[in-house]
Amino acid sequence: QVQLVESGGGSVEAGGSLTLSCAATGNTGNVYFWGWFRQSPGNEREGVAALYTIGGSTYYANSVKGRFTISQDNAKNTLYLNMTSLRPDDTAMYYCAASLSPVYGNPSSRVPAFPYRGQGTQVTVSS
């Protein structure tokens, strides 16, 4: 079991930046993939970014590639999502997630299906 708590959401103007944090507890040593996904009202969950713990490879949705960066601090058991050049269509509830099993295919697209997730943090981008 892994417990996840997100923080760092808020309101920002278009073009601005935010960094989300996700504090993890529990069986974090056995996590294969960390990730972030988002969901806005009326839309499906969208995988945003994923990080493979073995080797540190990262994967991003095309919609955020070049603007968002996923990273982790193992000493603090914390996952981050650094978001820059934010746009109004980035407005959503953002969730961090973890998988204790290998992930096949495109990891970033699989994040919404990861079995462990937090309660979410709201990001609102105004034009």
Side-chain angles (χ1 to χ4, degrees):
Q1 295 260 345
V2 177
Q3 295 79 42
L4 304 167
V5 178
E6 303 92 339
S7 61
S11 298
V12 64
E13 292 185 351
S17 301
L18 276 176
T19 297
L20 306 182
S21 300
C22 175
T25 57
N27 196 13
T28 58
N30 288 329
V31 171
Y32 269 85
F33 277 90
W34 298 104
W36 291 91
F37 69 93
R38 64 188 181 186
Q39 188 170 25
S40 55
N43 293 318
E44 294 185 357
R45 294 173 178 173
E46 178 190 15
V48 171
L51 185 150
Y52 185 35
T53 59
I54 303 172
S57 295
T58 56
Y59 307 85
Y60 298 94
N62 287 335
S63 59
V64 306
K65 199 172 293 183
R67 300 188 298 122
F68 290 12
T69 303
I70 185 172
S71 62
Q72 66 175 121
D73 184 330
N74 287 326
K76 296 181 179 179
N77 273 339
T78 302
L79 183 71
Y80 300 99
L81 185 67
N82 182 42
M83 305 183 295
T84 64
S85 301
L86 283 162
R87 310 184 305 218
D89 61 359
D90 292 317
T91 295
M93 186 73 79
Y94 283 73
Y95 301 84
C96 65
S99 175
L100 303 186
S101 302
V103 174
Y104 302 100
N106 181 352
S108 64
S109 68
R110 306 288 179 129
V111 176
F114 286 6
Y116 302 101
R117 65 190 66 159
Q119 296 299 308
T121 186
Q122 177 68 37
V123 173
T124 302
V125 184
S126 58
S127 57

